[in-house]
Amino acid sequence: MEQFNTVPRTQPTFYFIGVTTQQSSSMRVFPLWMNALGREEVVIEGVDMKLHDDPQNYRQVVEHIRADPLSLGGLVTTHKIDLLDACSDLFDELAPDAAFLGEVSSISKRSEGLWGHATDPSAGGKSLDAIIDPNYFGRTGGYVLCFGAGGSAAALAYHLINQPEPDDQPEKFLVVNRSQARLDRLRTKIERLETSIHFEYVLNEDPLENDKMMAGIPDGSIVVNATGMGKDRPGSPVSDVGPFPNHGIAWEYNYRGKLDFYHQALAQQESRSLQVEDGWVYFLHGWTQVIEYVLDLVIGPEQFEELGHIAATVR
């Protein structure tokens, strides 16, 4: 991490804790959003940290937010698990989703202290609902094949497990990751829940092996890139010749970067009748929910639509 400025702020400050924050649309759109919400006095500050950074660096940032009156809180991306692992004792309250998932994507302050929320289950769920129709899995028989076993994958699994209708749940959810520790961590979480979804956990980082898994799932399946590849690190979890499922969905969780996975899917969009989605709607839901927590306000459907239009102007 570059040297973090611990000097007390002179304006209400919202922090964006990520990897390459200056490349994000959020840095340009945030002031426009604040104007639309009547909170022009709030400024944003990006904090770039290395992947799996030194725990002391995470603590320095969170301790500053906790102690500085004008540091309001902020949004955490990429570091959601590592930050909570390093700073769990600094939070006075964790929302149930954050405690279950073991991650924090929203840091906010209330009179009772520092709060941590995990917004991915709600943001990812709303984004998925915008992509698929009700009863999608019952109608198609598709699986979910998720590359990556971090917080976003856990949140998607948690959302699907909590769907009340069986036809809104896949029969099988396959998780592929290059780290056994992350797979074990996800498995431990899932095994604490009651679910009829069959989960499989695969340790692999060879794109050609991932191609084989993708070729073996049913038509109509959803393939998710939740690895960060194509944004935080180069490449894609699959090769250029890996066959996406016919009549399926390729969902790239990122909306910026080289987006190799997204472009691989676009190349097969016509030949395999593939629906291709990026992470733009996920981005909007994730940010607006964190803003609600940090600024202690409610963003209704019409205002959400307005903020989406504003963001599109700088995308």
Side-chain angles (χ1 to χ4, degrees), residues 174-227:
L174 300 98
V175 187
V176 184
N177 199 70
R178 61 178 185 163
S179 161
Q180 186 64 52
R182 282 288 170 96
L183 286 170
D184 292 343
R185 182 173 184 143
L186 179 59
R187 185 198 299 267
T188 299
K189 291 185 178 75
I190 299 303
E191 288 179 346
R192 288 159 51 191
L193 300 173
E194 183 176 337
T195 180
S196 60
I197 302 172
H198 176 66
F199 283 86
E200 290 187 10
Y201 307 89
V202 181
L203 178 65
N204 180 60
E205 58 180 327
D206 180 357
L208 297 180
E209 290 299 315
N210 289 339
D211 290 352
K212 293 178 183 177
M213 279 181 268
M214 199 160 61
I217 58 178
D219 292 351
S221 292
I222 301 176
V223 184
V224 180
N225 178 28
T227 64

